[in-house]
Amino acid sequence: MSHKYQVHQLVRITHPRIWDKRASASGIYEVTRLMPADQTGEVSYRIKSSGFGERAVRESEISAKASVI
């Protein structure tokens, strides 16, 4: 499976958990690293938001940030 998102692309977590202390207030994260597929074949990413450090997410957990025109 190939990656849908690229390094430096802005994404959102599709179903953020309210209790997640790692969640960004803006909900916007930057892809910092493309990671290999897991045992199920789904690829993962490292994402970060200013002040919240990095975290790993599966591709199904994120979506592209909508562009504002």
Side-chain angles (χ1 to χ4, degrees):
M1 182 176 196
S2 62
H3 289 83
K4 184 176 178 180
Y5 307 106
Q6 301 301 317
V7 174
H8 302 297
Q9 185 171 355
L10 298 178
V11 297
R12 290 185 182 273
I13 293 182
T14 54
H15 299 291
R17 296 180 178 109
I18 294 172
W19 51 265
D20 191 346
K21 293 179 182 177
R22 299 172 300 169
S24 163
S26 69
I28 307 295
Y29 296 83
E30 179 183 356
V31 175
T32 58
R33 189 169 137 208
L34 308 180
M35 297 172 56
D38 61 14
Q39 301 87 353
T40 66
E42 185 174 10
V43 295
S44 297
Y45 300 85
R46 293 289 296 181
I47 60 172
K48 74 172 182 175
S49 181
S50 60
F52 289 94
E54 287 194 21
R55 64 188 286 182
V57 293
R58 291 178 157 194
E59 190 167 88
S60 61
E61 297 179 286
I62 57 176
S63 62
K65 176 187 173 290
S67 299
V68 177
I69 297 177

